[in-house]
Amino acid sequence: MHYHDVLGPAACGPQAGRLSTPSPGAPVRTGRDTDDTTGGPVQERMAGISGGLDNRRDGELLVRRLHSRIEHVLDMARDAFVETDAGGNLTEWNRQSEVLFGWSRDEVLGRPVTEFLFPERHRRAARRELESMGSSSSVMTRTRPRELSLVHREGYEVRVLGSAYVVGSGADLRIGGFLYDQDEDKAAEEALAHAYLHDSLTGLPNRTLFTYRLAYALAKGKSAPGSIAVLVLDLDRFKAINDGLGHEVGDEVLVAAAGRLEMADGTAEVIARLGGDEFLVLFDGDDAQGAAVAYAERALEALSSPIRAGDGEVFITASIGVACTSNRVNEATPLLSNADAAMYQAKRRGGGTVEVFGEVMRMRVLDRMNTEHSLHRALERSELRLFYQPVVEINGARAVGVEALLRWEHPEQGLVAPSKFIPVAEESGLIIPIGAWVLHEACRQLCMWRADRFGGPRGAVEVNLSARQIDHPEIISTVERILDDTGLPPSNLTLEITESALMHDAASALRVLEALKNLGVTLAIDDFGTGYSSLSHLQRFPLDILKIDKSFVDELGDDRGGAEIVAAVIKLAHALGLRVIAEGVETERQLDELLRLDCDFAQGYLFSRPVPAHELVEKFPLPLGA
């Protein structure tokens, strides 16, 4: 910054503040005499001289302040600012210039800018251009923005974008400009692209990038059969980790699992996180399916070791599905769908295993799709039916209630087995509206029987609740509303929950059961012995009834040790204050054994098959007025 720029030649020129001297022969005045030339006293002339000096000092102070402010503004700038004199010697170098090029201000001020800032190959051209700009006669000129490659102190080149200006003339001429770091822009763009295409938690590619890579592989390979395989991996029972140990621990497990999946890699094109606890892996090659299956085995092995998370160790397993291109499937969507179907098949088998999608599974998937499609219409078309099976008091031979069992009367296929459509309803979510209908119809039917003076069950009706229903946020309000709508006393409704459904998310199930218990309904654990509940869970859950699974009842009366197991279960239940119902009783011998073991109730084909409501009173030979 120069004084000329701020104060102009009048204030800072060669005449500013200079003392006047009398011409030869002129009289000299002293004391209080008046100057003949100016007509003022000597004191006034001296005051004028003093004022001129003060003005000059004020001007210098103003210049210093302005220069300090300009330097501060330049140092606050986001871009580098560089300025030279007409000879190319550096006069300005702001803080961002220090950051961008590595040289401090004190190291470069006064140095020829071409000596250190331009690459060797460009120095001659840079000097010529500076000379040309320095000889400009314009008061102010500016060049168009262009890209430059300049040199960092460490020797590497930095790409910048900038335009130069020329201002002033002669000794006051300055050449300068702002330089914009293009590499910073590129890094920001790359960071944005990485965030868009990668999972923020694990750092793995996300579904978007996986889809791009899969589409490219399909186009490149022209969808040749067997050339491309997709693997879908889902961690088993991960929700229980999140709910029981917290989401922070869950995130630690996901990060650790992702790392192990990468370590297990052999020939995978990409390993991606789909979201939640699900991962995708792509294989491209002549034996893509073989590579995928081999990787799946390595992945299961890698995940088998405990993971350190939170304050302890977490054990995880995974269900894996593999699908490969074929003559039928050569596009991304069906390929992913097939792999997903194979993964769910692995999960239905208990998890911790691999399933490969093949022709048999394809037919099974098509059948399930058709079943789901028809099931959507079954409720509105009144194709669903409730059958009832009596529950009998063993010591007294009287019916104390009935279990409501769902059946589907398909217009073309006839009576569809529950094992075929109930799992489909569970997976599709249709079990929620269907389950509500079952509960309402069962309560309504029992109310009709109770009001009928000619007979019918007077005890309780048992209705099954699935894991999906237990997890539904409106399950409590649904039960409460149906009891109000039908007028059935809560004590006449027994809700059955399977052991596996209770253990799916024990903490959440406990909250739901306590809320249901507060409504006044009876609670039963169904299919006991087929899951993996512990004695502590039985003690915690507010249960009233324990139902022994048919598989244990089948062994009663033979030499396979069935009686000992059933006896232990009955004693355990009675010790916990629970009543016991044995399911699947089909022979008199089984009934006699249950009586000897002090079992409370029984149901099965020995007494009656499940029958429609109107047949129950007619066909059941025991008194129903319990």
Side-chain angles (χ1 to χ4, degrees), residues 546-597:
L546 183 150
K547 301 189 76 172
I548 301 175
D549 186 67
K550 180 180 183 300
S551 59
F552 295 103
V553 175
D554 286 342
E555 297 182 2
L556 288 176
D558 57 28
D559 298 327
R560 291 178 291 177
E564 287 77 6
I565 295 175
V566 173
V569 171
I570 293 172
K571 288 180 181 178
L572 171 63
H574 286 165
L576 295 173
L578 306 179
R579 290 166 285 165
V580 181
I581 300 176
E583 297 182 290
V585 178
E586 297 181 352
T587 67
E588 291 286 351
R589 187 174 181 181
Q590 291 171 345
L591 182 61
D592 291 340
E593 193 70 16
L594 289 168
L595 180 62
R596 183 182 68 81
L597 296 175

Side-chain angles (χ1 to χ4, degrees), residues 521-545:
V521 302
T522 302
L523 299 176
I525 181 170
D526 196 15
D527 300 334
F528 184 77
T530 60
Y532 49 94
S533 62
S534 65
L535 179 60
S536 63
H537 284 117
L538 282 180
Q539 290 176 311
R540 289 169 55 202
F541 291 137
L543 300 170
D544 303 288
I545 295 173

Side-chain angles (χ1 to χ4, degrees), residues 194 197-206 209 255 258 262 271 273:
H194 187 276
L197 296 173
H198 290 77
D199 175 54
S200 59
L201 177 64
T202 63
L204 293 177
N206 60 16
L209 181 53
V255 171
E262 287 187 297
I271 301 172
R273 182 186 176 209

Side-chain angles (χ1 to χ4, degrees), residues 210 214 226-233 261 264-271 279-301 318-325 335 338-339 342 353-357:
F210 183 89
L214 176 57
S227 63
I228 297 168
V230 170
L231 180 150
V232 176
L233 181 148
L261 294 180
D265 183 24
T267 59
E269 292 293 313
V270 60
I271 301 172
F279 298 85
L280 296 170
V281 189
L282 173 65
F283 298 87
D284 183 3
D286 293 336
D287 185 20
Q289 179 173 305
V293 172
Y295 171 81
E297 298 294 344
R298 292 195 302 273
L300 291 177
E301 177 65 26
S319 299
I320 301 177
V322 175
C324 198
T325 50
L335 185 60
N338 290 350
T353 187
V354 185
E355 283 285 335
V356 178
F357 190 89

